[in-house]
């Protein structure tokens, strides 16, 4: 520590290992970001102004879109600016804030997807009680649960990560301030915070996926008992898009973050 060099900014290496990437790739990435931004903004506007869409499922979808816009906007614009300007630095406070937003929104999205699974379960398995169960009051409480849960779980960990001393080289081998690459630069023992993060992540992801899986087991069982083929198709169609998003979202995040340590390769 006496010979450590402390710094107030990081250098994001991004996709530097892929030398063949050119300007066309980043233009394509910009177009994809604008398309995502346009799509989610369209969902938020339409759901907000269209009374027919003031239903629990679309209300939760609106919350998911807000979280997705917040998460993506905290990552992609900075990466694009760096790629076009040739300057890959990010200030220390900006890096910490970026990591906080990304992971907070991730928790919000996981909880929201789980709530949407519950909504589909009630709609398919208990259609006669749907209006009495999924009241506006319950929907607001469930939505607040996702946002407060995301903030409450990530904020204490972010404060701890913020207070660590960082020294040596300031190169983050990523295109954003992911928690693993950032902790590798800390001049301190990070085992405890890594373990806490791993346990929190495992609990959130596995519980979310497990609850949703149980819900869809009941949903599929109910759909198979419907005598009409057309009605079975319609019932499954109402759940298909959510099931696809849930599977991709959970699988991708589990593969990336359910690791016991960031220092396993060093």
């Amino acid at each position: 520590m006496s010979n450590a060099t402390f710094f107030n900014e990081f250098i994001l290496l991004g996709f530097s290992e892929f030398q063949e990437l050119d300007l066309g790739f980043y233009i394509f990435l910009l177009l994809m970001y604008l398309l995502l931004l346009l799509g989610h903004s369209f969902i938020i506007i339409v759901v907000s102004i269209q009374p027919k869409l003031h239903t629990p499922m679309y209300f939760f979808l609106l919350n998911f879109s807000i979280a997705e816009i917040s998460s993506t906007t905290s990552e992609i614009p900075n990466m694009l600016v760096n790629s076009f300007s040739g300057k890959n630095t990010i200030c220390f406070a900006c890096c910490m804030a970026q990591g906080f937003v990304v992971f907070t929104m991730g928790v919000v999205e996981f909880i929201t997807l789980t709530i949407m699974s519950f909504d589909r379960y009630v709609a398919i398995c208990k259609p006669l009680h749907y209006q009495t169960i999924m009241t506006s009051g319950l929907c607001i409480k469930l939505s607040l649960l996702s946002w407060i849960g995301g903030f409450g779980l990530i904020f204490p960990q972010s404060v701890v990560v913020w207070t660590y001393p960082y020294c040596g080289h300031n190169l983050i081998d990523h295109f954003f301030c992911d928690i693993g690459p950032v902790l590798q630069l800390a001049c301190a023992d990070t085992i405890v915070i890594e373990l806490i993060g791993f346990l929190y992540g495992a609990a959130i992801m596995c519980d979310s996926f497990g609850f949703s899986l149980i819900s869809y087991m009941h949903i599929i069982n109910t759909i198979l008992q419907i005598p009409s083929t057309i009605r079975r198709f319609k019932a499954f169609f109402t759940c298909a898009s959510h099931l696809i998003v849930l599977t991709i979202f959970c699988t991708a995040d589990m593969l990336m973050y359910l690791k016991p340590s960031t220092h396993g390769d060093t």
Side-chain angles (χ1 to χ4, degrees):
M1 292 293 292
S2 60
N3 296 325
T5 301
F6 294 88
F7 44 82
N8 56 13
E9 67 178 12
F10 295 101
I11 298 176
L12 297 170
L13 297 181
F15 299 102
S16 58
E17 67 273 21
F18 300 105
Q19 299 297 330
E20 65 276 11
L21 293 180
D22 54 13
L23 184 62
F25 169 79
Y26 293 104
I27 293 177
F28 174 76
L29 187 62
L30 173 61
L31 293 176
M32 293 300 296
Y33 168 69
L34 293 176
L35 182 62
L36 181 145
L37 191 64
L38 179 64
H40 284 293
S41 299
F42 180 76
I43 290 174
I44 294 172
I45 294 173
V46 172
V47 172
S48 300
I49 66 176
Q50 180 55 256
K52 292 183 179 180
L53 298 182
H54 292 174
T55 61
M57 189 63 174
Y58 284 103
F59 175 72
F60 299 134
L61 180 60
L62 182 147
N63 280 267
F64 185 87
S65 293
I66 294 174
E68 185 67 17
I69 288 176
S70 301
S71 177
T72 308
T73 302
S74 68
E75 302 174 57
I76 304 301
N78 179 75
M79 185 179 68
L80 292 173
V81 169
N82 288 343
S83 64
F84 289 128
S85 66
K87 182 181 179 182
N88 297 325
T89 59
I90 181 172
C91 69
F92 180 84
C94 298
C95 184
M96 296 296 113
Q98 185 184 70
F100 170 73
V101 172
V102 170
F103 287 100
T104 298
M105 294 303 104
V107 175
V108 171
E109 289 173 334
F110 263 105
I111 297 177
T112 301
L113 286 172
T114 307
I115 294 171
M116 293 169 75
S117 298
F118 173 72
D119 175 79
R120 292 299 85 196
Y121 163 77
V122 177
I124 301 297
C125 300
K126 300 180 182 297
L128 298 180
H129 302 283
Y130 183 77
Q131 296 295 335
T132 57
I133 295 177
M134 300 303 297
T135 62
S136 58
L138 178 62
C139 292
I140 292 174
K141 291 177 182 178
L142 292 174
S143 177
L144 289 175
L145 172 66
S146 65
W147 289 94
I148 295 175
F151 181 86
L153 290 173
I154 301 302
F155 182 74
Q157 299 178 69
S158 297
V159 171
V160 174
V161 174
W162 189 299
T163 58
Y164 277 137
Y166 295 90
C167 57
H169 72 83
N170 61 341
L171 304 177
I172 297 179
D173 190 13
H174 215 304
F175 62 86
F176 81 101
C177 292
D178 197 358
I179 184 65
V182 169
L183 286 179
Q184 288 181 354
L185 306 181
C187 299
D189 186 358
T190 61
I191 297 298
V192 174
I193 191 63
E194 288 183 43
L195 180 60
I196 292 174
F198 172 76
L199 294 176
Y200 275 19
I204 294 169
M205 296 180 194
C206 294
D207 288 351
S208 175
F209 186 75
F211 183 88
S212 299
L213 182 62
I214 293 173
S215 297
Y216 272 101
M217 289 175 62
H218 288 285
I219 290 172
I220 293 173
N221 181 61
T222 301
I223 291 176
L224 292 176
Q225 296 177 15
I226 299 176
S228 172
T229 304
I230 297 178
R231 289 180 59 195
R232 283 201 303 268
F233 176 79
K234 288 182 177 179
F236 181 77
F237 183 76
T238 60
C239 305
S241 58
H242 172 259
L243 182 59
I244 293 173
V245 172
L246 176 69
T247 302
I248 295 175
F249 197 83
C250 291
T251 303
D253 279 20
M254 285 180 179
L255 291 175
M256 286 191 296
Y257 293 111
L258 288 190
K259 300 176 183 179
S261 175
T262 63
H263 302 287
D265 299 330
T266 59

